[in-house]
Amino acid sequence: MINRSNQLLPQRILTWFIALVWLANGLFCKVLGLVPRHEQIVARILLPAYSHSFTVLIGISEILMAIWILSSFKTKLNAIVQIVIVATMNTIEFILAPDLLLWGKFNSLFAFIFILVVFINGFYFSKK
């Protein structure tokens, strides 16, 4: 069971916001395929023949990340993993598929802001 009684309200809000970002991108955009642009990006970066399967696997991984975030298990490690994944993913997309990104190369700005939110939640608010 998740013990949220010792968390501050801003931390709970940030934790749910971050988890919802991963869940929405994983479930709706990738697993359910509601945003075809995600599969196009995967096709450009990885093998086009397997882009659907890779996209679904990435989506499942993102759903698992949301669950990990909400579990509060090893929050600092979780924050580090998120930061590395978001930074790596966005760097690769910035170089190989900027035309497919929602905001083009400005996506990196939103990724940076998301990384800051994850850092603040994982290290500033976290007492573990």
Side-chain angles (χ1 to χ4, degrees):
M1 181 152 181
I2 300 171
N3 181 8
R4 297 270 185 219
S5 61
N6 61 349
Q7 281 188 328
L8 301 171
L9 181 59
Q11 182 184 14
R12 276 189 264 166
I13 292 169
L14 282 181
T15 299
W16 277 94
F17 168 75
I18 293 165
L20 287 173
V21 168
W22 286 101
L23 179 65
N25 277 285
L27 179 61
F28 299 113
C29 298
K30 294 179 181 80
V31 173
L32 297 177
L34 299 178
V35 183
R37 179 175 36 80
H38 287 264
E39 189 169 332
Q40 293 169 347
I41 293 168
V42 172
R44 174 132 358 133
I45 295 169
L46 300 173
L47 298 172
Y50 300 104
S51 62
H52 178 72
S53 298
F54 283 139
T55 303
V56 171
L57 288 173
I58 293 166
I60 291 169
S61 299
E62 290 177 342
I63 294 166
L64 292 173
M65 177 64 77
I67 294 168
W68 183 13
I69 292 164
L70 293 175
S71 77
S72 296
F73 178 73
K74 296 197 181 248
T75 55
K76 289 182 180 173
L77 175 61
N78 179 273
I80 291 168
V81 170
Q82 286 184 74
I83 290 166
V84 168
I85 289 170
V86 171
T88 302
M89 173 187 68
N90 278 275
T91 300
I92 292 168
E93 292 171 346
F94 183 88
I95 294 167
L96 298 177
D99 57 306
L100 295 174
L101 300 175
L102 184 59
W103 297 291
K105 291 190 174 187
F106 282 107
N107 251 44
S108 58
L109 174 64
F110 293 99
F112 178 73
I113 292 168
F114 186 71
I115 286 170
L116 280 177
V117 170
V118 168
F119 179 82
I120 289 167
N121 196 52
F123 290 92
Y124 179 75
F125 283 138
S126 179
K127 304 296 182 208
K128 292 182 183 179

